[in-house]
Amino acid sequence: MFPASLDQTNQRHEKDRIDEIDQMNETKQVIRMARLVKASEQDRSFDLVFWKKVGAEGRFEAAWQMVSEVQAIKGKGHMEEENAL
């Protein structure tokens, strides 16, 4: 168990992260695309168009989200994530 002061610091840090995510979500443009094709007719053209529309920042954000999900699956908290960088 964390000492009270460390636990409060972690709670404040988590609240700051949530506020930051909320602010990003308010300013972010959501890109939604879909395509239905036969498996034998699929190619990479849809993926290329989608990721081009998302842009570099969107690709980085998607990659970072996957890193965060892996850390969560492994049971590591945000403090360990920050130390890993």
Side-chain angles (χ1 to χ4, degrees):
M1 188 86 189
F2 292 117
S5 61
L6 184 55
D7 191 42
Q8 290 172 346
T9 301
N10 287 338
Q11 288 175 354
R12 273 186 264 127
H13 180 72
E14 195 62 31
K15 183 185 178 314
D16 290 344
R17 285 181 65 180
I18 291 169
D19 290 343
E20 183 178 311
I21 291 168
D22 288 342
Q23 289 171 357
M24 287 189 308
N25 287 338
E26 290 173 3
T27 61
K28 248 188 332 189
Q29 176 187 5
V30 177
I31 297 174
R32 294 174 198 239
M33 294 176 56
R35 180 176 85 159
L36 182 62
V37 296
K38 294 180 183 177
S40 61
E41 297 174 2
Q42 65 183 342
D43 60 9
R44 294 190 61 220
S45 61
F46 177 82
D47 297 326
L48 295 172
V49 171
F50 173 79
W51 289 111
K52 185 175 183 178
K53 284 186 180 219
V54 169
E57 186 175 320
R59 289 190 297 273
F60 179 82
E61 184 178 333
W64 186 251
Q65 181 178 352
M66 288 186 280
V67 169
S68 297
E69 290 170 358
V70 167
Q71 295 297 319
I73 290 167
K74 290 181 177 180
K76 296 183 179 181
H78 67 275
M79 295 300 287
E80 292 164 342
E81 287 176 20
E82 291 173 356
N83 293 331
L85 300 176

mmCIF file of all heavy atoms in Angstrom, residues 57-74:
data_model
loop_
_atom_site.group_PDB
_atom_site.id
_atom_site.type_symbol
_atom_site.label_atom_id
_atom_site.label_comp_id
_atom_site.label_asym_id
_atom_site.label_seq_id
_atom_site.Cartn_x
_atom_site.Cartn_y
_atom_site.Cartn_z
ATOM 1 N N GLU A 57 0.062 12.493 -36.466
ATOM 2 C CA GLU A 57 -0.338 12.600 -35.061
ATOM 3 C C GLU A 57 -1.316 11.488 -34.687
ATOM 4 O O GLU A 57 -1.216 10.883 -33.621
ATOM 5 C CB GLU A 57 -0.961 13.965 -34.793
ATOM 6 C CG GLU A 57 -1.261 14.204 -33.328
ATOM 7 C CD GLU A 57 -1.771 15.613 -33.077
ATOM 8 O OE1 GLU A 57 -1.251 16.565 -33.682
ATOM 9 O OE2 GLU A 57 -2.695 15.742 -32.259
ATOM 10 N N GLY A 58 -2.253 11.196 -35.576
ATOM 11 C CA GLY A 58 -3.213 10.127 -35.331
ATOM 12 C C GLY A 58 -2.553 8.760 -35.284
ATOM 13 O O GLY A 58 -2.919 7.903 -34.477
ATOM 14 N N ARG A 59 -1.577 8.540 -36.155
ATOM 15 C CA ARG A 59 -0.848 7.261 -36.147
ATOM 16 C C ARG A 59 -0.070 7.110 -34.845
ATOM 17 O O ARG A 59 -0.060 6.041 -34.236
ATOM 18 C CB ARG A 59 0.082 7.171 -37.351
ATOM 19 C CG ARG A 59 -0.661 6.988 -38.667
ATOM 20 C CD ARG A 59 0.264 6.656 -39.826
ATOM 21 N NE ARG A 59 1.225 7.701 -40.140
ATOM 22 C CZ ARG A 59 0.994 8.714 -40.960
ATOM 23 N NH1 ARG A 59 -0.185 8.825 -41.555
ATOM 24 N NH2 ARG A 59 1.918 9.615 -41.194
ATOM 25 N N PHE A 60 0.587 8.183 -34.413
ATOM 26 C CA PHE A 60 1.331 8.130 -33.161
ATOM 27 C C PHE A 60 0.381 7.871 -31.991
ATOM 28 O O PHE A 60 0.665 7.055 -31.117
ATOM 29 C CB PHE A 60 2.101 9.431 -32.930
ATOM 30 C CG PHE A 60 2.867 9.426 -31.643
ATOM 31 C CD1 PHE A 60 4.100 8.809 -31.563
ATOM 32 C CD2 PHE A 60 2.340 10.011 -30.505
ATOM 33 C CE1 PHE A 60 4.804 8.779 -30.370
ATOM 34 C CE2 PHE A 60 3.036 9.990 -29.302
ATOM 35 C CZ PHE A 60 4.278 9.370 -29.247
ATOM 36 N N GLU A 61 -0.763 8.550 -31.987
ATOM 37 C CA GLU A 61 -1.727 8.367 -30.906
ATOM 38 C C GLU A 61 -2.236 6.923 -30.863
ATOM 39 O O GLU A 61 -2.375 6.335 -29.789
ATOM 40 C CB GLU A 61 -2.903 9.327 -31.084
ATOM 41 C CG GLU A 61 -3.896 9.260 -29.951
ATOM 42 C CD GLU A 61 -5.025 10.263 -30.120
ATOM 43 O OE1 GLU A 61 -4.818 11.298 -30.766
ATOM 44 O OE2 GLU A 61 -6.109 9.982 -29.591
ATOM 45 N N ALA A 62 -2.499 6.345 -32.040
ATOM 46 C CA ALA A 62 -2.968 4.954 -32.100
ATOM 47 C C ALA A 62 -1.889 4.007 -31.576
ATOM 48 O O ALA A 62 -2.184 3.067 -30.827
ATOM 49 C CB ALA A 62 -3.346 4.589 -33.533
ATOM 50 N N ALA A 63 -0.638 4.253 -31.954
ATOM 51 C CA ALA A 63 0.455 3.412 -31.481
ATOM 52 C C ALA A 63 0.615 3.541 -29.963
ATOM 53 O O ALA A 63 0.804 2.543 -29.258
ATOM 54 C CB ALA A 63 1.756 3.795 -32.183
ATOM 55 N N TRP A 64 0.521 4.772 -29.454
ATOM 56 C CA TRP A 64 0.665 4.986 -28.012
ATOM 57 C C TRP A 64 -0.472 4.325 -27.244
ATOM 58 O O TRP A 64 -0.273 3.768 -26.173
ATOM 59 C CB TRP A 64 0.730 6.475 -27.689
ATOM 60 C CG TRP A 64 1.031 6.699 -26.244
ATOM 61 C CD1 TRP A 64 0.196 7.172 -25.293
ATOM 62 C CD2 TRP A 64 2.258 6.407 -25.575
ATOM 63 N NE1 TRP A 64 0.825 7.213 -24.075
ATOM 64 C CE2 TRP A 64 2.095 6.749 -24.221
ATOM 65 C CE3 TRP A 64 3.489 5.907 -26.011
ATOM 66 C CZ2 TRP A 64 3.104 6.580 -23.291
ATOM 67 C CZ3 TRP A 64 4.489 5.743 -25.081
ATOM 68 C CH2 TRP A 64 4.293 6.078 -23.736
ATOM 69 N N GLN A 65 -1.675 4.361 -27.818
ATOM 70 C CA GLN A 65 -2.813 3.709 -27.182
ATOM 71 C C GLN A 65 -2.561 2.204 -27.079
ATOM 72 O O GLN A 65 -2.860 1.591 -26.052
ATOM 73 C CB GLN A 65 -4.095 3.974 -27.966
ATOM 74 C CG GLN A 65 -5.323 3.343 -27.332
ATOM 75 C CD GLN A 65 -6.599 3.645 -28.097
ATOM 76 O OE1 GLN A 65 -6.603 4.440 -29.024
ATOM 77 N NE2 GLN A 65 -7.669 3.015 -27.708
ATOM 78 N N MET A 66 -1.986 1.620 -28.125
ATOM 79 C CA MET A 66 -1.678 0.185 -28.073
ATOM 80 C C MET A 66 -0.635 -0.115 -26.999
ATOM 81 O O MET A 66 -0.739 -1.110 -26.281
ATOM 82 C CB MET A 66 -1.207 -0.313 -29.435
ATOM 83 C CG MET A 66 -2.335 -0.399 -30.447
ATOM 84 S SD MET A 66 -1.838 -1.159 -32.006
ATOM 85 C CE MET A 66 -1.037 0.216 -32.806
ATOM 86 N N VAL A 67 0.375 0.747 -26.875
ATOM 87 C CA VAL A 67 1.389 0.568 -25.823
ATOM 88 C C VAL A 67 0.725 0.629 -24.453
ATOM 89 O O VAL A 67 0.996 -0.210 -23.580
ATOM 90 C CB VAL A 67 2.499 1.649 -25.942
ATOM 91 C CG1 VAL A 67 3.394 1.653 -24.716
ATOM 92 C CG2 VAL A 67 3.312 1.433 -27.205
ATOM 93 N N SER A 68 -0.169 1.596 -24.256
ATOM 94 C CA SER A 68 -0.865 1.733 -22.976
ATOM 95 C C SER A 68 -1.730 0.516 -22.678
ATOM 96 O O SER A 68 -1.794 0.050 -21.533
ATOM 97 C CB SER A 68 -1.749 2.985 -22.985
ATOM 98 O OG SER A 68 -0.952 4.131 -23.140
ATOM 99 N N GLU A 69 -2.384 -0.017 -23.707
ATOM 100 C CA GLU A 69 -3.219 -1.206 -23.513
ATOM 101 C C GLU A 69 -2.384 -2.419 -23.134
ATOM 102 O O GLU A 69 -2.775 -3.210 -22.281
ATOM 103 C CB GLU A 69 -4.042 -1.478 -24.771
ATOM 104 C CG GLU A 69 -5.133 -0.447 -24.985
ATOM 105 C CD GLU A 69 -5.809 -0.540 -26.341
ATOM 106 O OE1 GLU A 69 -5.408 -1.388 -27.163
ATOM 107 O OE2 GLU A 69 -6.742 0.245 -26.572
ATOM 108 N N VAL A 70 -1.224 -2.573 -23.765
ATOM 109 C CA VAL A 70 -0.328 -3.688 -23.420
ATOM 110 C C VAL A 70 0.115 -3.552 -21.968
ATOM 111 O O VAL A 70 0.125 -4.534 -21.214
ATOM 112 C CB VAL A 70 0.891 -3.743 -24.367
ATOM 113 C CG1 VAL A 70 1.956 -4.682 -23.833
ATOM 114 C CG2 VAL A 70 0.455 -4.161 -25.756
ATOM 115 N N GLN A 71 0.466 -2.339 -21.554
ATOM 116 C CA GLN A 71 0.876 -2.113 -20.171
ATOM 117 C C GLN A 71 -0.257 -2.457 -19.209
ATOM 118 O O GLN A 71 -0.035 -3.061 -18.168
ATOM 119 C CB GLN A 71 1.316 -0.664 -19.966
ATOM 120 C CG GLN A 71 2.559 -0.281 -20.735
ATOM 121 C CD GLN A 71 3.775 -1.063 -20.297
ATOM 122 O OE1 GLN A 71 3.999 -1.299 -19.125
ATOM 123 N NE2 GLN A 71 4.562 -1.492 -21.268
ATOM 124 N N ALA A 72 -1.485 -2.078 -19.560
ATOM 125 C CA ALA A 72 -2.636 -2.381 -18.705
ATOM 126 C C ALA A 72 -2.865 -3.891 -18.622
ATOM 127 O O ALA A 72 -3.161 -4.423 -17.546
ATOM 128 C CB ALA A 72 -3.884 -1.681 -19.239
ATOM 129 N N ILE A 73 -2.724 -4.588 -19.744
ATOM 130 C CA ILE A 73 -2.896 -6.038 -19.759
ATOM 131 C C ILE A 73 -1.844 -6.708 -18.870
ATOM 132 O O ILE A 73 -2.139 -7.665 -18.159
ATOM 133 C CB ILE A 73 -2.824 -6.579 -21.199
ATOM 134 C CG1 ILE A 73 -4.071 -6.143 -21.969
ATOM 135 C CG2 ILE A 73 -2.674 -8.099 -21.222
ATOM 136 C CD1 ILE A 73 -3.982 -6.343 -23.470
ATOM 137 N N LYS A 74 -0.630 -6.178 -18.910
ATOM 138 C CA LYS A 74 0.447 -6.728 -18.086
ATOM 139 C C LYS A 74 0.309 -6.327 -16.625
ATOM 140 O O LYS A 74 1.067 -6.798 -15.785
ATOM 141 C CB LYS A 74 1.805 -6.257 -18.609
ATOM 142 C CG LYS A 74 2.180 -6.870 -19.941
ATOM 143 C CD LYS A 74 3.537 -6.367 -20.364
ATOM 144 C CE LYS A 74 3.984 -7.015 -21.653
ATOM 145 N NZ LYS A 74 5.318 -6.527 -22.057
#
